Amino acid sequence: MASVATGLALLASSGVALAHPGHPGHDAASSFAAGFLHPLTGADHLCAMVVVGLWSSLTSKRVWAAPLAFVAMLAAGGLLGMSHWFALPGVEPMIAVSLLVLGLMLATRTQLPGWAGATIVGAFAVFHGFAHGAELPDEASAMHYMAGFLVATGMLHCIGLGAGVALRHRTIWVPRVLGAGVLAYGATLLAAAS
Protein backbone atom coordinates (compact mmCIF):
# COMPACT_ATOMS: atom_id res chain seq x y z
CA MET A 1 0.00 0.00 0.00
CA ALA A 2 2.80 2.40 0.90
CA SER A 3 4.65 1.71 -2.36
CA VAL A 4 1.46 2.27 -4.37
CA ALA A 5 0.79 5.55 -2.56
CA THR A 6 4.39 6.65 -3.05
CA GLY A 7 4.25 5.80 -6.75
CA LEU A 8 1.02 7.69 -7.25
CA ALA A 9 2.37 10.70 -5.38
CA LEU A 10 5.52 10.73 -7.52
CA LEU A 11 3.44 10.37 -10.66
CA ALA A 12 1.21 13.23 -9.63
CA SER A 13 4.15 15.49 -8.89
CA SER A 14 5.90 14.81 -12.19
CA GLY A 15 6.07 17.56 -14.74
CA VAL A 16 3.71 16.05 -17.28
CA ALA A 17 3.13 18.29 -20.30
CA LEU A 18 -0.45 19.48 -20.39
CA ALA A 19 -2.39 20.83 -23.33
CA HIS A 20 -3.04 24.23 -21.78
CA PRO A 21 -0.29 25.05 -19.32
CA GLY A 22 -0.52 28.20 -17.28
CA HIS A 23 -4.25 28.09 -16.62
CA PRO A 24 -5.36 27.57 -13.02
CA GLY A 25 -6.47 24.01 -12.43
CA HIS A 26 -4.69 22.63 -15.48
CA ASP A 27 -1.45 21.72 -13.77
CA ALA A 28 -0.62 18.45 -12.08
CA ALA A 29 -0.36 19.90 -8.58
CA SER A 30 -3.77 21.55 -8.52
CA SER A 31 -5.45 18.50 -10.10
CA PHE A 32 -3.78 16.23 -7.54
CA ALA A 33 -4.80 18.59 -4.72
CA ALA A 34 -8.42 18.65 -5.90
CA GLY A 35 -8.52 14.85 -5.93
CA PHE A 36 -6.71 14.57 -2.61
CA LEU A 37 -9.11 16.95 -0.89
CA HIS A 38 -12.27 15.35 -2.29
CA PRO A 39 -12.47 12.41 0.16
CA LEU A 40 -11.36 14.65 3.03
CA THR A 41 -14.13 17.20 2.54
CA GLY A 42 -17.06 14.77 2.36
CA ALA A 43 -18.00 13.25 5.71
CA ASP A 44 -19.56 10.25 3.95
CA HIS A 45 -16.32 9.32 2.18
CA LEU A 46 -14.20 10.19 5.21
CA CYS A 47 -16.25 7.94 7.50
CA ALA A 48 -16.31 5.00 5.09
CA MET A 49 -12.59 5.03 4.45
CA VAL A 50 -11.54 5.31 8.09
CA VAL A 51 -14.05 2.64 9.13
CA VAL A 52 -12.73 0.20 6.52
CA GLY A 53 -9.26 0.42 8.05
CA LEU A 54 -10.56 0.35 11.62
CA TRP A 55 -12.85 -2.63 11.05
CA SER A 56 -10.17 -4.51 9.15
CA SER A 57 -7.53 -4.06 11.85
CA LEU A 58 -9.95 -5.17 14.57
CA THR A 59 -11.33 -8.27 12.88
CA SER A 60 -9.04 -9.58 10.13
CA LYS A 61 -5.83 -11.58 10.07
CA ARG A 62 -4.98 -10.02 6.70
CA VAL A 63 -5.58 -6.43 7.71
CA TRP A 64 -4.65 -5.06 4.26
CA ALA A 65 -7.10 -7.20 2.25
CA ALA A 66 -10.19 -5.01 2.65
CA PRO A 67 -8.35 -1.66 2.31
CA LEU A 68 -6.56 -2.86 -0.84
CA ALA A 69 -9.84 -4.11 -2.30
CA PHE A 70 -11.41 -0.74 -1.50
CA VAL A 71 -8.63 1.21 -3.23
CA ALA A 72 -8.67 -1.06 -6.30
CA MET A 73 -12.43 -0.86 -6.73
CA LEU A 74 -12.41 2.87 -5.91
CA ALA A 75 -10.08 3.32 -8.88
CA ALA A 76 -12.38 1.24 -11.10
CA GLY A 77 -15.43 3.22 -10.00
CA GLY A 78 -13.53 6.48 -10.47
CA LEU A 79 -12.69 5.56 -14.06
CA LEU A 80 -16.35 4.72 -14.71
CA GLY A 81 -17.46 8.02 -13.21
CA MET A 82 -14.94 10.00 -15.25
CA SER A 83 -15.86 8.23 -18.46
CA HIS A 84 -19.49 9.41 -18.46
CA TRP A 85 -20.32 6.27 -20.48
CA PHE A 86 -23.35 5.57 -18.34
CA ALA A 87 -25.06 6.70 -15.19
CA LEU A 88 -24.62 4.32 -12.29
CA PRO A 89 -28.02 4.26 -10.60
CA GLY A 90 -28.37 4.85 -6.89
CA VAL A 91 -24.88 6.21 -6.18
CA GLU A 92 -25.87 8.41 -3.23
CA PRO A 93 -28.22 5.85 -1.63
CA MET A 94 -25.54 3.16 -2.00
CA ILE A 95 -22.95 5.40 -0.35
CA ALA A 96 -25.42 5.82 2.53
CA VAL A 97 -25.99 2.04 2.63
CA SER A 98 -22.23 1.54 2.73
CA LEU A 99 -22.10 3.64 5.90
CA LEU A 100 -24.94 1.62 7.40
CA VAL A 101 -23.26 -1.69 6.66
CA LEU A 102 -19.70 -0.64 7.49
CA GLY A 103 -20.87 1.03 10.70
CA LEU A 104 -22.75 -2.13 11.68
CA MET A 105 -19.72 -4.29 10.86
CA LEU A 106 -17.53 -2.10 13.06
CA ALA A 107 -20.05 -1.82 15.92
CA THR A 108 -20.48 -5.59 16.07
CA ARG A 109 -16.88 -6.43 15.13
CA THR A 110 -18.23 -8.71 12.44
CA GLN A 111 -15.63 -11.30 11.47
CA LEU A 112 -15.77 -12.46 7.88
CA PRO A 113 -13.51 -14.58 5.70
CA GLY A 114 -10.97 -12.30 4.02
CA TRP A 115 -12.50 -12.69 0.57
CA ALA A 116 -16.00 -11.87 1.88
CA GLY A 117 -14.88 -8.70 3.65
CA ALA A 118 -12.89 -7.60 0.60
CA THR A 119 -15.89 -8.28 -1.66
CA ILE A 120 -18.31 -6.26 0.47
CA VAL A 121 -15.91 -3.38 0.90
CA GLY A 122 -14.93 -3.45 -2.78
CA ALA A 123 -18.55 -3.38 -3.94
CA PHE A 124 -19.21 -0.25 -1.90
CA ALA A 125 -15.97 1.32 -3.12
CA VAL A 126 -17.26 1.26 -6.70
CA PHE A 127 -20.00 3.71 -5.69
CA HIS A 128 -17.63 5.94 -3.74
CA GLY A 129 -15.23 5.92 -6.70
CA PHE A 130 -17.99 6.69 -9.18
CA ALA A 131 -18.96 9.72 -7.10
CA HIS A 132 -15.33 10.89 -7.02
CA GLY A 133 -14.89 10.39 -10.76
CA ALA A 134 -18.18 12.01 -11.73
CA GLU A 135 -17.17 15.11 -9.76
CA LEU A 136 -13.91 15.55 -11.69
CA PRO A 137 -13.51 19.30 -12.19
CA ASP A 138 -13.67 20.25 -15.87
CA GLU A 139 -10.24 21.84 -15.82
CA ALA A 140 -8.49 19.06 -13.88
CA SER A 141 -6.19 16.37 -15.24
CA ALA A 142 -8.05 13.09 -14.72
CA MET A 143 -4.87 11.11 -14.01
CA HIS A 144 -3.63 13.51 -11.35
CA TYR A 145 -7.08 13.97 -9.81
CA MET A 146 -7.45 10.19 -9.48
CA ALA A 147 -3.97 9.85 -8.03
CA GLY A 148 -4.95 12.44 -5.42
CA PHE A 149 -8.10 10.70 -4.25
CA LEU A 150 -6.39 7.30 -4.21
CA VAL A 151 -3.52 8.60 -2.06
CA ALA A 152 -5.97 10.32 0.32
CA THR A 153 -7.99 7.11 0.54
CA GLY A 154 -4.88 5.10 1.36
CA MET A 155 -4.00 7.60 4.08
CA LEU A 156 -7.49 7.40 5.59
CA HIS A 157 -7.31 3.60 5.58
CA CYS A 158 -3.94 3.81 7.34
CA ILE A 159 -5.42 6.12 9.97
CA GLY A 160 -8.20 3.59 10.55
CA LEU A 161 -5.73 0.70 10.66
CA GLY A 162 -3.56 2.55 13.17
CA ALA A 163 -6.54 3.43 15.34
CA GLY A 164 -7.70 -0.19 15.25
CA VAL A 165 -4.30 -1.47 16.32
CA ALA A 166 -4.24 1.08 19.15
CA LEU A 167 -7.74 0.08 20.30
CA ARG A 168 -7.48 -3.66 19.72
CA HIS A 169 -6.69 -4.64 23.31
CA ARG A 170 -7.74 -1.48 25.15
CA THR A 171 -11.49 -1.11 24.83
CA ILE A 172 -14.38 -2.64 22.97
CA TRP A 173 -16.67 0.33 23.47
CA VAL A 174 -14.91 3.03 21.44
CA PRO A 175 -15.14 1.07 18.16
CA ARG A 176 -18.73 0.13 18.96
CA VAL A 177 -19.71 3.74 19.59
CA LEU A 178 -17.89 4.89 16.44
CA GLY A 179 -19.58 2.16 14.42
CA ALA A 180 -22.98 3.06 15.80
CA GLY A 181 -22.35 6.72 14.97
CA VAL A 182 -21.41 5.89 11.37
CA LEU A 183 -24.45 3.61 11.10
CA ALA A 184 -26.71 6.43 12.34
CA TYR A 185 -25.09 8.90 9.93
CA GLY A 186 -25.68 6.45 7.07
CA ALA A 187 -29.34 6.09 8.09
CA THR A 188 -29.71 9.88 8.05
CA LEU A 189 -28.14 10.10 4.59
CA LEU A 190 -30.32 7.25 3.30
CA ALA A 191 -33.47 8.95 4.60
CA ALA A 192 -32.42 12.20 2.91
CA ALA A 193 -31.67 10.40 -0.37
CA SER A 194 -35.08 8.66 -0.44
Side-chain angles (χ1 to χ4, degrees):
M1 178 72 108
S3 61
V4 171
T6 302
L8 289 172
L10 290 173
L11 177 65
S13 63
S14 67
V16 177
L18 299 172
H20 302 286
H23 298 287
H26 283 275
D27 63 354
S30 61
S31 295
F32 179 85
F36 186 84
L37 290 173
H38 191 265
L40 302 177
T41 56
D44 51 351
H45 299 303
L46 186 69
C47 286
M49 293 165 192
V50 171
V51 167
V52 166
L54 189 54
W55 169 77
S56 185
S57 68
L58 290 171
T59 63
S60 303
K61 291 179 184 173
R62 295 185 182 121
V63 298
W64 291 101
L68 284 176
F70 193 100
V71 170
M73 297 310 291
L74 184 77
L79 289 171
L80 289 173
M82 288 178 195
S83 72
H84 301 292
W85 289 337
F86 66 94
L88 185 62
V91 171
E92 292 304 321
M94 283 304 295
I95 288 173
V97 169
S98 77
L99 295 177
L100 281 166
V101 172
L102 294 171
L104 180 63
M105 288 167 56
L106 177 60
T108 61
R109 282 193 173 185
T110 303
Q111 294 192 353
L112 299 169
W115 64 267
T119 301
I120 291 168
V121 166
F124 288 136
V126 171
F127 292 93
H128 285 269
F130 193 91
H132 288 329
E135 294 172 9
L136 170 72
D138 290 335
E139 71 280 357
S141 158
M143 177 179 67
H144 294 100
Y145 178 80
M146 178 178 274
F149 72 69
L150 291 175
V151 169
T153 297
M155 282 182 27
L156 292 170
H157 287 327
C158 287
I159 289 168
L161 286 166
V165 168
L167 294 171
R168 191 177 290 161
H169 301 294
R170 291 202 171 104
T171 177
I172 62 170
W173 291 107
V174 171
R176 287 185 183 193
V177 170
L178 290 173
V182 170
L183 188 154
Y185 179 53
T188 303
L189 290 179
L190 188 59
S194 300

